[in-house]
Amino acid sequence: DFFTEDEDFVFFDDEVDLLEKTRYFLAHESLRQTIAEQGYRKACLTFGYDSLARNVLDVVSQSVTDPSS
């Protein structure tokens, strides 16, 4: 679980829930902005080029160190 609901993203159950949450977050700009920024930041840290490159290098390094894995 990379992301936390209502901290990094907002989930909705159906069309009614979507409309209610849309209206709510349009009326609460600061909270909407905070959730968007946190989700973006976590996505960049988790899936950004630096993170992906580190993961690839870790896998390559591990396979060179322990070829049986």
Side-chain angles (χ1 to χ4, degrees):
D1 295 68
F2 294 108
F3 300 98
T4 304
E5 188 171 358
D6 296 328
E7 289 181 19
D8 304 316
F9 74 98
V10 175
F11 187 77
F12 59 90
D13 295 317
D14 53 31
E15 288 181 35
V16 172
D17 191 32
L18 171 62
L19 289 172
E20 288 174 358
K21 289 180 179 177
T22 299
R23 289 184 187 109
Y24 176 82
F25 285 108
L26 285 173
H28 296 88
E29 172 74 24
S30 177
L31 180 57
R32 178 171 45 112
Q33 189 67 31
T34 298
I35 292 171
E37 288 172 359
Q38 286 179 187
Y40 177 78
R41 193 174 309 114
K42 192 175 280 189
C44 289
L45 287 173
T46 305
F47 302 108
Y49 291 117
D50 291 342
S51 177
L52 293 176
R54 265 192 303 277
N55 289 340
V56 168
L57 291 174
D58 288 346
V59 169
V60 169
S61 175
Q62 183 177 1
S63 67
V64 168
T65 305
D66 183 11
S68 64
S69 62

